[in-house]
Amino acid sequence: MNAKEFLRNAIVYFDGGTGTLLQASGLPLGELPERWNITHADVIEDVHAAYFNAGSNVVATNTFGANSLKFTETELDEIVRAAITNARNAAKRSTNRGEKFIALDIGPTGKLLKPYGDLDFEDAVECFAKTVRLGVKYGADLILIETMSDSYETKAALLAAKENSDLPVVVSNAYGADGKLMTGASPAAMVAMLEGMGADVIGVNCSLGPKQLLGVVKELLEKSSLPVLVKPNAGLPVSDGENAYYDVTAEEFAECMAEFVRLGARCVGGCCGTTPEYIRKTVEKTQTLSAMPIAKKNITCVSSYTHAVEFSQPILIGERINPTGKKRFKQALIEGDVEYVLAEGIAQQEKGAHVLDVNVGLPDIDEKEQLPLYVERLQAVIDLPLQIDTSDAVAMERAMRRYNGKPLVNSVNGKKESMAAVFPLVKKYGGVVVALTLDENGIPETAEGRVAIARRIIAEAAAYGIAKKDIIVDTLAMTIATDTNAANVTLEALCRVRRELGVHTSLGVSNVSFGLPSREIVNATFFARALENGLSAAIINPNSLEMLKTYYSFLVLGGGDENCGGYIRFASEILPKLTHETLKTVTATQPQTETKDAVMDEITPLKRAIIKGLDGEAERACEEALQRVSALTIVSDEIVPALDEVGRAYEEKRAFLPALLMSAEAAKKAFEKIKTHLLANGGESEKKCKIVLATVQGDIHDIGKNIVKTLLENYGFDVLDLGRDVSPEKVLAAAKETGAPIVGLSALMTTTVPSMEKTIALLRKELPCVKIMVGGAVLNAEYAKKIGADAYGKDGMAAVRYAEEIYEILCKNKQNMQ
């Protein structure tokens, strides 16, 4: 049986925490474990054999960090070759008589991708591709992409695997205690993207113990039509005062894993702290259980980098990012006014749009270059899924490739050349495609003709392996100004497509009134009729009060609005805002009466720009503010409060890391303006205390440290960043030289935690007054205390709060001494 068949038809046992065993075997501080494939092949082979003998069907090669960012191409080749040879030798000598496969293990690069970090998406794809090609060359049976905490990096790795091999691909993400990835993706969002791109197995590993991952596993099983992998840690690291250990025993671990199998998990194993005994116990507890059948969920959904939007009830697609009939928008595209486009997107999100249409097709611009650019820029500041709207197949592919999630794609039609161009892209990159009911003969005048085209498109999509759930049929709203029966034909076709073909539907609603006066009246009534006939998605102007009234009242009257929550939010939040904006437009020349409905007007342009992550707008707003008030006033009254607001939203899980970083970038632009202004006027910007940051020796993952640096600098701290793989001696020297009262240390890998402990011990000996804060996925507050740290930062904002606390104490002590 090959690996793909085995993964789909059996309960599959993966291995455990290889790093845990390497540490126990004497892996020195700071040494890269991948090099042991060459220098300690016997040890690596023994570790693999121990897991095979415990019952593992799949053993992952010791290549978690083997990539071209860390090793030269020559050394990378040798490492992957040796790693696969070691695993293959272990399989041969194992006493396990079950199926045995070798997985090429691929972990994260340790870098954030642009726009939040400095690694370009295509560079990440090529980095992973080099490792994949070597895995194929030396005979891996499958690819395991694991411990990914960012959806975009996950996509890059999966794309590299699919483009450079035909091996089955298992993709596993590291979810936090909030049930989301570090950059905000929910399990449902990851299922949508990974299934769409053709992963063979999806799952979760690392970060937490089995009990803490129960919610994530249940959501994966609820949404996924693929086998689900579960590889938890052996609980959380704790200390008895002398030794550190994980708090879940092998017996307890196995009981939890058996429960996961009963729930429907098909692939089980372990991560940090799970020795071969954990796998042996898991096999014993589950070997008599039957594999649960994998059911097709048939969920039609799109996703962003944070969440999935299911077509379980009608959704609203904002139409404003489209130059058709919009003179100001055309001007913005031609002039490259990205901020205007972003503002349009943000405004539609605030009005309740679920998805944003993105169309930049103009003769005056290069759509192939501009569409992916605008998709990237919009995703940097807005967490809604996007509809990629173009008739240019090259522009479509470029945008889909760099899209972070599973997009809505507008569109394909019944023409052979259209289907031949679009369907391969949907199959490769994933997406839900809008199918227009037109073909070589134009748009049929009858409902029967449009249904026939829809039926033909669905059949052709199936030939490409695209399921009906990923097709939305647009039966084309035509203007009634030239044909008073046009709306009836559209609605009849819409109803029949839903009833006879069983697919979801979409309409550009406002097209029905083209050429008529007072169009909103007609649009709203047609919208209501379309909803009644089974409309799944409406492309509308979210600024239209009449359309939103129709939408929310339809949902609440139809029983699709639980506890009337959506309608109440509309009536209490969106309606007053829209009404206020309408009144402002009508009475623009009259004095404005201040009301509570105008709350957003009280937020200054600079605050709003920072909160929304609009760096160009923040720069302009700060420059304007400097003409009215002092630099210090801007910092204290606008910039810091804006950062605090986003920080609180992040801490309360109302915003996610990308939003935090984009706000920090916007604030940085404002600070640069202030610095320039002060220097020009003979002053200088004030800095808080010095802080030394470093990723500890042996660890090249500096995502967390870089995030902390960005946030600390925006709060006014003077940060010295020593980089990654930093020795204890270098950290000490920097702390002495700068006189920094705070040192921050980061570690992602279990194998580098001893380096952190050694660094802390050296600092304690030489600089006992220095405060040490630590962070990283392999740590928690208790373990941080055990290794001698003063504080544990679970995220970047926690580090900021601790630094502020220490700085306040330093200021008070200074005042007391004066």
Side-chain angles (χ1 to χ4, degrees), residues 243-292:
N243 301 301
Y245 60 94
Y246 285 87
D247 64 357
V248 175
T249 66
E251 184 72 24
E252 293 167 336
F253 184 89
E255 290 284 357
C256 292
M257 301 310 288
E259 180 58 26
F260 287 139
V261 172
R262 283 189 283 268
L263 287 171
R266 295 291 292 274
C267 303
V268 291
C271 204
C272 302
T274 55
T275 64
E277 182 62 16
Y278 283 73
I279 304 304
R280 183 175 292 107
K281 290 285 187 183
T282 296
V283 173
E284 290 174 0
K285 293 284 185 184
T286 59
Q287 60 188 350
T288 60
L289 299 176
S290 299
M292 294 283 287

Side-chain angles (χ1 to χ4, degrees), residues 73 92 232 311 419 538 586 595 623 627-628 719 752 797:
E73 291 196 12
K92 290 176 181 176
F311 288 69
M419 293 187 283
V586 172
T595 72
E623 193 167 15
Q627 297 174 14
R628 302 189 309 272
V719 179
T752 58
M797 284 309 301

Side-chain angles (χ1 to χ4, degrees), residues 641-657:
L643 284 171
D644 280 339
E645 182 168 332
V646 178
R648 283 192 299 273
Y650 175 72
E651 290 167 327
E652 295 166 6
K653 306 303 179 186
R654 293 182 286 109
F656 301 101
L657 182 62

Side-chain angles (χ1 to χ4, degrees), residues 511-580:
N511 292 339
V512 75
S513 65
F514 186 77
L516 294 176
S518 303
R519 294 179 62 187
E520 279 201 351
I521 300 171
V522 175
N523 292 346
T525 303
F526 177 67
F527 186 23
R529 289 191 65 198
L531 289 168
E532 194 64 42
N533 278 275
L535 181 63
S536 308
I539 304 175
I540 68 163
N541 177 5
N543 296 315
S544 169
L545 185 57
E546 295 305 315
M547 296 295 274
L548 293 186
K549 285 178 181 178
T550 297
Y551 175 73
Y552 286 104
S553 58
F554 175 85
L555 289 184
V556 77
L557 289 170
D561 185 2
E562 188 175 353
N563 298 321
C564 305
Y567 181 80
I568 291 171
R569 176 178 174 271
F570 166 68
S572 61
E573 298 177 25
I574 300 174
L575 180 59
K577 185 175 175 61
L578 279 170
T579 304
H580 177 70

Side-chain angles (χ1 to χ4, degrees), residues 450 476-480 482-491 512 526:
R450 297 185 199 185
L476 299 173
M478 309 297 289
T479 179
I480 58 173
T482 56
D483 179 1
T484 54
N485 196 46
N488 293 326
V489 172
T490 297
L491 295 177
V512 75
F526 177 67

Side-chain angles (χ1 to χ4, degrees), residues 173-180 186-188 203-205 208 211-222 228 260:
N173 292 100
Y175 293 87
D178 61 351
K180 301 184 187 302
S186 67
V204 54
N205 78 289
L208 301 166
K211 291 181 179 178
Q212 291 85 2
L213 288 176
L214 180 60
V216 170
V217 173
K218 284 184 174 180
E219 187 171 344
L220 289 173
L221 291 168
E222 178 189 350
V228 169
F260 287 139

Side-chain angles (χ1 to χ4, degrees), residues 153-211:
E153 187 175 27
T154 306
K155 176 172 181 172
L158 179 54
L159 195 57
K162 301 293 286 187
E163 288 183 335
N164 293 277
S165 82
D166 58 3
L167 298 176
V169 186
V170 178
V171 184
S172 181
N173 292 100
Y175 293 87
D178 61 351
K180 301 184 187 302
L181 302 191
M182 177 185 71
T183 48
S186 67
M190 294 310 298
V191 170
M193 184 180 78
L194 297 175
E195 278 195 4
M197 290 182 65
D200 294 280
V201 177
I202 60 177
V204 54
N205 78 289
C206 204
S207 296
L208 301 166
K211 291 181 179 178

